[in-house]
Amino acid sequence: MSSFPYLSVLTGGPLVGAAVVACLPRSRPVLAKTVALIWSLAVLVLTAVMYATFNANGARFQFRESYQWIPFWGARFTFETDGIALVMLALIALLVPLVILASWHDVDNSKRSVPTYFALLLALECTMIGVFAAADIFLFYVFFEVMLIPMYFLIGSYGGQRRQYAAVKFFLYSLVGGLLMLAAVIGLWVVGRDQLGHGTFDWHQLTQLHMSTTTERWLFLGFFVAFAIKAPFFPFHTWLPDAGGAAPAGAGALLVGVLDKVGTFGILRYCLPLFPHAAKYFAPLGLVLALVGIIYGALLAIGQNDLKRLVSYTSIAHFGFIGIGIFAFTTQGGTGAVLYMLNHGLATGLLFLVVGMLVARRGSAQVSDFGGAGKLMPVLGGVFFIAGLASLALPGTSPFISEFLVLIGTFTVHKAVAVIATVGIILAAAYVLWMIQRTTQGTLNPALEKVPGMRRDMSVREKVVVAPLIVLLLLLGFYPKPVTDVINPAVKATFSQIGTSDPNPTVAQGGGK
């Protein structure tokens, strides 16, 4: 295995890039954009090399690095990745340069600094990579909290209407969850010190602890509520539509495409292995919250007239599917949930970026302000149609594979849950097709012909942004094996840690010749 420190370089590299871009003069915006793009592409290349180096049949955790940090607490700079974290790191590395390219002109007319905007995107990339790569629980917590800062400023300084309200609400919700997690992290450290004889935040050592039932359940809830807010699961979801609706399109794509996944990743990496008995005890609660989120999020999406808020509500419904896949505790369900995390990032990231292109041209995010826009911009309308179909998990697109695996894996152990969840598929078709019909299809809204931007179809730059996402959505829709081979071993190891196994298939009894 390579001894190259991939994870520390990938984590620190964007932070250095952010410092470089932030120091560039405001009078050189093109230079700032170019440096940010080149820096993010370098991260993408290095991530691709690491992905190719990862041995899916080898040890679960690979590329481990550990450096002394706070000896008195037993905290260390420890990084490592398994298949679950690896696919999320690949998603981050892909989305950030596409977001930078998509945001090329988004802040040109803003009174705010252009270099600062792109520096914040690179700083956000640093924290996102760090939170998925960390193997020290205190280090994970630090990244979990620090990544609020660049997103707060991206929304509050560069967002649309009600941006300050949305930024503060996003920050407060996440901060409350973070404080609950901090209390649980401290409690876990105390339990570890008492049992191991020394304080540590090492994930591997802390998964070996034996706790009383009450202690384990309280610590589980401390972590779970923080992750449920971040995901978000019902009823902790109310910050997302406001933040997604106010955020710039690029920042919104990272918000719904990556930051939300920290919640479901945290449940898989921390809640289940650290607190296995509590995880099984609270699994029915997790399934109920996920089911409510599927139906509730879809119904609210149907009633939205704001495109950005609509896409944000669809994410709440999609995260319900991820939730039932996790708490079904089957390999199929778990693999489907992780694959859904990746596919949702691709599909919803694409949809959010395309919505941003439409809003930039129209000057409005209201569905009622469009109508027949595809007649003026056929290519952009076609891409919007593809993004919508991928979001509703049309067969042939990658979200269909993950949704199918989640439902099959859930049906084997919770038939009623899987059947109710399928209602969400019907509702998804309703809100996506309604959105497409009223935005780009149907009779042309005469007002659009008077808007100069509406006669401008996709530029070469915008086509370069959407092309990789469309290719991956279709490719993984027909051949997901390169990703599932990486995910499967980590999912199996996670569920083995909580003592669950897949149900044995039943064979129908009957006569025959």
Side-chain angles (χ1 to χ4, degrees), residues 12 64 119 187 282 330 467:
R64 182 177 175 86
F282 287 110
T330 63

Side-chain angles (χ1 to χ4, degrees), residues 192-380:
R193 182 199 59 186
D194 293 343
Q195 291 193 22
L196 302 173
H198 62 276
T200 183
F201 290 101
D202 183 76
W203 182 88
H204 294 278
Q205 294 187 51
L206 293 176
T207 56
Q208 306 302 316
L209 299 180
H210 299 282
M211 290 174 256
S212 68
T213 299
T214 301
T215 299
E216 183 176 347
R217 289 177 181 175
W218 278 111
L219 293 180
F220 172 91
L221 286 175
F223 278 86
F224 176 74
V225 172
F227 295 141
I229 292 173
K230 182 69 72 178
F233 288 142
F234 175 89
F236 309 106
H237 64 282
T238 59
W239 64 267
L240 180 58
D242 291 315
L254 293 176
L255 178 67
V256 300
V258 178
L259 261 71
D260 293 357
K261 311 303 184 301
V262 175
T264 47
F265 171 82
I267 293 173
L268 283 164
R269 173 62 65 83
Y270 296 99
C271 286
L272 303 192
L274 290 173
F275 318 108
H277 302 293
K280 288 187 280 189
Y281 176 80
F282 287 110
L285 173 63
L287 289 170
V288 170
L289 294 182
L291 267 183
V292 173
I294 291 173
I295 307 301
Y296 185 69
L299 290 174
L300 289 178
I302 292 174
Q304 295 303 306
N305 190 45
D306 184 290
L307 283 169
K308 288 184 176 181
R309 290 179 66 88
L310 192 158
V311 175
S312 298
Y313 274 116
T314 68
S315 292
I316 297 171
H318 293 152
F319 270 86
F321 282 100
I322 297 173
I324 65 173
I326 292 173
F327 287 107
F329 296 150
T330 63
T331 302
Q332 282 183 318
T335 299
V338 177
L339 188 60
Y340 212 129
M341 290 161 60
L342 172 65
N343 291 333
H344 176 267
L346 296 174
T348 306
L350 173 63
L351 186 58
F352 218 104
L353 291 175
V354 175
V355 164
M357 296 172 190
L358 288 168
V359 172
R361 285 164 167 79
R362 181 65 177 92
S364 170
Q366 300 300 305
V367 175
S368 55
D369 288 337
F370 288 86
K375 292 180 172 60
L376 299 176
M377 302 173 295
V379 178
L380 182 55

Side-chain angles (χ1 to χ4, degrees), residues 475-500:
L475 179 63
L476 295 179
F478 286 94
Y479 190 66
K481 190 173 184 297
V483 176
T484 55
D485 283 350
V486 170
I487 294 172
N488 264 323
V491 171
K492 290 179 179 178
T494 298
F495 289 149
S496 69
Q497 286 180 296
I498 62 175
T500 61

Side-chain angles (χ1 to χ4, degrees), residues 143-214:
F143 280 118
F144 183 87
E145 291 289 80
V146 171
M147 74 178 177
L148 301 179
I149 298 173
M151 182 56 73
Y152 170 82
F153 285 107
L154 285 168
I155 298 173
S157 297
Y158 297 91
Q161 294 181 349
R162 293 169 58 86
R163 60 181 180 272
Q164 293 180 348
Y165 168 79
V168 170
K169 189 174 183 179
F170 160 75
F171 192 86
L172 290 179
Y173 265 70
S174 300
L175 185 63
V176 169
L179 291 175
L180 291 174
M181 190 200 298
L182 177 60
V185 167
I186 294 172
L188 187 63
W189 183 87
V190 171
V191 173
R193 182 199 59 186
D194 293 343
Q195 291 193 22
L196 302 173
H198 62 276
T200 183
F201 290 101
D202 183 76
W203 182 88
H204 294 278
Q205 294 187 51
L206 293 176
T207 56
Q208 306 302 316
L209 299 180
H210 299 282
M211 290 174 256
S212 68
T213 299
T214 301

Side-chain angles (χ1 to χ4, degrees), residues 2 13 18 23 28 35 61 81 85 87 106 163 194 199 221 279 289 291 327 353 370 384 428 452 456 463 465 471 502:
S2 173
C23 291
R28 302 288 301 277
V35 172
F61 290 98
T81 184
V87 296
D106 284 1
R163 60 181 180 272
D194 293 343
L221 286 175
L289 294 182
L291 267 183
F327 287 107
L353 291 175
F370 288 86
F384 186 58
R456 177 169 49 88
K463 292 175 183 176
V465 169
V471 169
D502 293 337

